[in-house]
């Protein structure tokens, strides 16, 4: 298995289209891959790089010396740039330009810029000229969650390729995980891994506990348990984001759209929620999202939660 594209899960239409444009000889030289994190955009870029560098075929033969070295990540025809810390910095952009100026390399060259939304403005600016008119045989793959965080000038020079999340079924082909986790992962391996890690599981359990207290304890304001569990701002925010997904599920349960439910293992909680009126669920989901935003915006967690509780009384 030395053909990297053969190891990619899903995204077959996208891959096929681009391979065909390679073969037709007019692929464009700068690609911008956008879509959620953890769904395989970088693997696709690496696989396409192998195809561009392969000495036998534009689809990657998987057998030639170049393909083998690409598989082991040690071919000089490719350079992968990732943020060092929070950003991709000016000196990294300079390294790319120096790399492209190397005269000693023959054949195609591929630059992958992962998390391109973290390019700092100077770094982005210094690459613009190269992105606008890449040297012959040079291909760029920029990878980002969406086009939103990128400079318009970069966007306009790129062939934008929108990636879709994987399906729960596709995730399940690669990873052993409970059905609820496969669904709740929203098509992302990264999210799936997080969901299966201990801390995240525990946080989810806490989210269930605190929501039950919120729904059932008439003395919520005096209750110390949620105040403890939500002391940490990050935890509080995650707990509210789980609430939103539970309430969303309860709305689907009311519609009898069971295949849309993500948290299938939480039947008891969903049942309690689904017994509420539709208006109060819709209001609760909105207000929970508002509370999550307020916490993200650094508002006092305890105050936000007290307000949420008081507003709930008015529903
Ligand atoms: Zn090859």
């Amino acid at each position: 298995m030395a053909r990297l594209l053969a190891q990619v899960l899903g995204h077959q239409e996208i891959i096929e289209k681009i391979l065909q444009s390679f073969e037709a000889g007019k692929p464009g030289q700068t690609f911008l891959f956008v879509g959620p994190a953890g769904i395989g955009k970088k693997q696709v870029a690496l696989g396409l790089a192998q195809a561009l560098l392969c000495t036998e075929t534009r689809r990657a033969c998987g057998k030639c010396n170049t393909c083998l070295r690409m598989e082991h990540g040690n071919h000089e025809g490719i350079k992968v740039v990732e943020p060092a810390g929070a950003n991709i910095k000016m000196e990294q952009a300079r390294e790319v330009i120096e790399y492209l100026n190397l005269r000693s390399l023959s054949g195609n060259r591929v630059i992958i810029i992962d998390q391109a939304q973290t390019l700092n403005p100077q770094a982005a600016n210094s690459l613009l000229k190269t992105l606008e008119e890449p040297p012959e045989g040079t291909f760029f793959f920029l990878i980002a969650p969406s086009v939103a965080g990128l400079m318009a000038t970069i966007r306009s020079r790129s062939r934008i390729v929108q990636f879709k999340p994987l399906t729960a079924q596709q995730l399940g082909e690669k990873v052993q995980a409970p059905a609820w986790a496969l669904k709740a992962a929203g098509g992302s391996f990264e999210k799936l891994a997080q969901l299966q890690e201990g801390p995240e599981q525990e946080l989810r359990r806490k989210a269930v506990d605190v929501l039950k207290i919120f729904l059932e304890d008439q003395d919520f304001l005096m209750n110390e348990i949620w105040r403890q569990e939500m002391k940490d701002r990050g935890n509080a925010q995650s707990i509210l984001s789980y609430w939103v997904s539970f309430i969303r599920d309860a709305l689907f349960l009311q519609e009898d759209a069971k295949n849309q439910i993500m948290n299938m293992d939480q039947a008891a909680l969903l049942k309690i929620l689904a017994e509420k009126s539709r208006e109060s669920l819709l209001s609760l989901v909105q207000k929970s999202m508002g509370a999550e935003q307020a916490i993200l915006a650094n508002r006092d967690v305890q105050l936000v939660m007290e307000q949420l509780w008081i507003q709930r009384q008015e529903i």
Side-chain angles (χ1 to χ4, degrees):
M1 279 274 274
R3 226 184 135 245
L4 298 176
L5 285 174
Q7 297 165 33
V8 173
L9 190 68
H11 313 307
Q12 292 307 310
E13 262 176 59
I14 287 175
I15 292 170
E16 193 49 40
K17 241 189 185 168
I18 297 177
L19 285 178
Q20 281 173 11
S21 71
F22 287 172
E23 288 173 325
K26 283 189 188 137
Q29 287 175 264
T30 303
F31 293 82
L32 173 53
F33 285 0
V34 292
I39 61 171
K41 298 188 296 298
K42 190 174 167 194
Q43 277 93 327
V44 172
L46 285 167
L48 291 169
Q50 190 184 40
L52 285 166
L53 297 173
C54 174
T55 51
E56 302 301 314
T57 135
R58 275 295 147 264
R59 293 182 163 256
C61 70
K63 296 180 194 118
C64 71
N65 186 33
T66 301
C67 279
L68 295 177
R69 282 166 62 207
M70 269 297 295
E71 191 196 8
H72 297 111
N74 61 358
H75 194 281
E76 65 283 350
I78 179 167
K79 187 168 178 63
V80 179
V81 183
E82 287 165 329
N87 287 102
I88 296 176
K89 300 188 174 69
M90 184 60 195
E91 55 194 78
Q92 293 175 282
R94 213 173 281 137
E95 278 172 28
V96 169
I97 293 163
E98 278 166 20
Y99 169 76
L100 292 177
N101 286 333
L102 285 178
R103 293 273 161 249
S104 57
L105 298 177
S106 61
N108 287 340
R109 287 181 219 188
V110 177
I111 319 282
I112 295 178
I113 302 183
D114 197 9
Q115 308 204 43
Q117 78 281 8
T118 69
L119 273 166
N120 82 17
Q122 295 108 303
N125 269 322
S126 70
L127 284 176
L128 273 184
K129 189 101 193 71
T130 319
L131 289 170
E132 188 177 18
E133 280 173 72
E136 208 189 324
T138 296
F139 296 84
F140 281 92
F141 292 92
L142 303 160
I143 300 173
S146 73
V147 292
L150 292 162
M151 292 168 70
T153 35
I154 289 191
R155 275 183 273 170
S156 66
R157 283 160 176 75
S158 312
R159 174 167 161 193
I160 296 172
V161 182
Q162 179 75 51
F163 281 66
K164 291 200 195 81
L166 298 166
T167 63
Q169 194 189 351
Q170 285 173 322
L171 291 179
E173 283 168 22
K174 271 252 163 118
V175 184
Q176 277 274 330
W180 71 262
L182 289 172
K183 277 209 161 184
S188 160
F189 281 112
E190 198 171 291
K191 182 82 189 146
L192 180 61
Q194 280 171 7
L195 282 168
Q196 290 190 280
E197 278 165 16
E200 192 68 20
Q201 288 272 39
E202 199 184 318
L203 205 52
R204 186 165 173 274
R205 254 192 311 274
K206 283 179 183 171
V208 173
D209 292 345
V210 175
L211 182 53
K212 280 190 185 149
I213 294 171
F214 183 86
L215 294 171
E216 291 171 349
D217 185 356
Q218 293 309 308
D219 289 323
F220 181 79
L221 294 178
M222 309 300 286
N223 189 304
E224 282 303 311
I225 298 172
W226 68 266
R227 290 186 193 273
Q228 239 3 62
E229 305 292 24
M230 297 181 89
K231 216 164 205 163
D232 176 271
R233 182 174 296 277
N235 284 358
Q237 190 236 319
S238 296
I239 284 174
L240 279 167
S241 112
Y242 278 120
W243 284 21
V244 171
S245 92
F246 296 144
I247 301 163
R248 172 190 167 279
D249 278 356
L251 286 160
F252 282 126
L253 189 60
Q254 285 185 342
E255 289 170 11
D256 215 21
K258 292 209 173 71
N259 60 338
Q260 298 283 341
I261 292 175
M262 296 197 296
N263 302 282
M264 290 174 289
D265 61 323
Q266 295 297 333
L269 174 69
L270 298 186
K271 200 161 160 268
I272 297 174
L273 283 168
E275 278 163 8
K276 310 217 164 286
S277 75
R278 194 152 183 91
E279 290 101 79
S280 63
L281 280 187
L282 286 170
S283 163
L284 189 57
V285 81
Q286 265 178 5
K287 292 194 162 88
S288 301
M289 286 193 285
E292 190 187 345
Q293 287 307 313
I295 289 171
L296 268 174
N298 251 347
R299 299 256 320 274
D300 182 89
V301 175
Q302 311 270 328
L303 272 176
V304 169
M305 290 306 293
E306 285 168 11
Q307 261 171 14
L308 183 62
W309 164 257
I310 290 161
Q311 286 174 345
R312 177 192 165 262
Q313 300 303 296
E314 294 163 1
I315 295 165

